[in-house]
Amino acid sequence: MALKVLTVVGNRPQFIKAAAVSSRLRAAGSELLVHTGQHFDDELSAVFFAELGLPAPEIQLAVSGGSNTSQTARMLSALEPVIADARPDCVLVYGDTNSTLAGALAATQLNLPVAHVEAGMRSFDRTMPEETNRVLADHLSALLLCSSEVGVANLAAEGIGAAGQRAGSSVTEVVLVGDVMVDVAREAQPRARERVDLVRAHGVEPGDYLLATAHRAGNVDDPQRLAALAELLLGIGVPVVLPMHPRTRARLKAAGLLERLSSAGQVHVIQPVGYLELTALLCNARGVLTDSGGLQKEAYLAGVPCLTLRPNTEWVETVAAGWNTLVDLDLEAARTALAAVPPAGRPELYGDGHAGERVVAALSARFGN
Ligand code: UDP
């Protein structure tokens, strides 16, 4: 019998990650793609399926909104019968969202093994809901697929991996596969870089603007930090293109800051964009301002300096390499970082663009019959 995997995805970065794996998985065996519904709007969901050639989900659960706890609970209830019915060889989850945790926990409660892509990344900041999701998903997983050596080392420090198998459980396996987002970005960036038309359409010139994205709870749910974010964007002194996440838009609107930001000539507030357009905006930017995890890696790959709007990051390699600076919401720190000259080299931190193949090989070796 061929390998049968049930994959749980639910939001934007997971659609991008799954694009590097799903079609290969279907060539090697079979996949049932379950979309929890965490991101449901066309601009955060449908556009990625269409653009990245991701197969349409076989099952849509339509679970969204509410607190993290309530959303995760509803996902667990919705996933349990689906996973029980499918009886896959394993359940595959990506990253650090509520969909990741719900998929991993529902599978474990059904005594089915879990494979986690992007295992071992840590910000060591337990106030971030994503950190809780990552740690728990890793500790539930049988196959931990890491993006970098740092991920492998973080797992070893928690007693997961060759150095410390967990007693009483089935063997836990850690495999360094590289980062699946790198596969997708490597393919898209050369093409996107040429698309200066997509940049000029937003009223800015290549090399003369910053690409900004922000939606982490720690930045947009706290009114003081939200105000600091707006001040930073308004004060940075370079035009900013800001594809605005719906959560950020709602918070800025409620705080009376949306109008101020949108009416400032220097900040171009736009709707979230598809992957090609985002990549065109990234590759032609002078720098990136972001609290996104994925964008920190993509900026590194594109050779665009990144200013991370957080006090910490799980993508520490980009900071050590000198291409990413943790400026949090400090305008002066952001100005200083922007003025710095980036290093000459960019070592291959997250693999060679073939992580998707290695994910499928590891799944087949471990769970194929
Ligand atoms: N992205 C996109 N359009 C946008 C903003 C982001 O395609 O308007 C992509 C971006 O290139 C990256 C991913 O979405 O691949 C990051 O997603 P997000 O910031 O939502 O999540 P995180 O990476 O922080 O988990």
Side-chain angles (χ1 to χ4, degrees), residues 317-343:
E317 302 90 343
T318 58
V319 178
W323 283 86
N324 188 4
T325 311
L326 302 176
V327 300
D328 200 5
L329 298 176
D330 182 333
L331 176 57
E332 276 318 306
R335 284 206 184 113
T336 307
L338 198 57
V341 179

Side-chain angles (χ1 to χ4, degrees), residues 12-13 16-17 39 48 96 181 213 215-216 243 245 271-275 278-279 291-295 298:
R12 176 168 68 186
I16 297 167
K17 291 165 197 174
H39 278 169
F48 295 98
D96 55 21
M181 265 189 151
T213 75
H215 68 277
R216 294 258 94 78
H245 194 281
Q271 294 297 322
V273 292
Y275 189 73
L278 192 283
T279 307
D291 63 12
S292 157
L295 206 46
E298 290 166 347

Side-chain angles (χ1 to χ4, degrees), residues 353-364:
H354 295 280
E357 287 155 47
R358 290 195 197 92
V359 167
V360 174
L363 288 168
S364 301

Side-chain angles (χ1 to χ4, degrees), residues 34-174:
V34 180
H35 187 332
T36 61
Q38 189 174 345
H39 278 169
F40 54 88
D41 349 27
D42 282 354
E43 58 196 7
L44 294 186
S45 178
V47 63
F48 295 98
F49 282 82
E51 219 184 313
L52 299 173
L54 190 60
E58 277 77 20
I59 297 175
Q60 299 258 13
L61 299 178
V63 177
S64 66
S67 68
N68 288 318
T69 304
S70 137
Q71 191 183 87
T72 308
R74 282 177 284 128
M75 282 178 186
L76 282 169
S77 302
L79 280 167
E80 182 184 25
V82 170
I83 299 174
D85 190 46
R87 299 299 307 171
D89 296 313
C90 85
V91 171
L92 177 64
V93 296
Y94 292 91
D96 55 21
T97 73
N98 296 337
S99 303
T100 314
L101 176 58
L105 186 51
T108 303
Q109 299 288 23
L110 288 163
N111 258 328
L112 288 168
V114 176
H116 184 204
V117 171
E118 226 176 66
M121 302 321 297
R122 297 287 182 268
S123 67
F124 299 101
D125 177 357
R126 287 287 179 105
T127 64
M128 290 179 74
E130 294 88 348
E131 183 77 353
T132 303
N133 291 339
R134 284 180 201 119
V135 171
L136 294 178
D138 282 342
H139 284 257
L140 292 169
S141 294
L143 181 60
L144 298 107
L145 301 159
C146 294
S147 297
S148 72
E149 292 283 3
V150 170
V152 176
N154 287 338
L155 291 174
E158 292 175 21
I160 304 175
Q165 305 290 358
R166 286 170 300 166
S169 68
S170 57
V171 173
T172 301
E173 198 181 342
V174 177

Side-chain angles (χ1 to χ4, degrees), residues 150-233:
V150 170
V152 176
N154 287 338
L155 291 174
E158 292 175 21
I160 304 175
Q165 305 290 358
R166 286 170 300 166
S169 68
S170 57
V171 173
T172 301
E173 198 181 342
V174 177
V175 185
L176 177 59
V177 290
D179 195 288
V180 291
M181 265 189 151
V182 170
D183 298 17
V184 184
R186 275 205 186 202
E187 178 134 338
Q189 287 188 357
R191 222 167 4 111
R193 196 179 293 280
E194 305 298 311
R195 296 296 305 272
V196 288
D197 56 313
L198 296 174
V199 170
R200 295 204 168 103
H202 296 295
V204 291
E205 280 302 308
D208 192 28
Y209 67 94
L210 303 175
L211 170 65
T213 75
H215 68 277
R216 294 258 94 78
N219 280 341
V220 305
D221 288 1
D222 173 335
Q224 273 187 348
R225 288 189 56 90
L226 185 67
L229 171 67
E231 289 313 316
L232 191 150
L233 296 170

Side-chain angles (χ1 to χ4, degrees), residues 232-267:
L232 191 150
L233 296 170
L234 289 164
I236 192 73
V238 180
V240 173
V241 177
L242 175 57
M244 195 175 278
H245 194 281
R247 173 193 197 125
T248 310
R249 184 177 289 275
R251 300 293 186 273
L252 285 168
K253 201 167 175 193
L257 287 167
L258 184 59
E259 185 49 35
R260 175 137 184 264
L261 215 51
S262 316
S263 61
Q266 190 185 290
V267 182

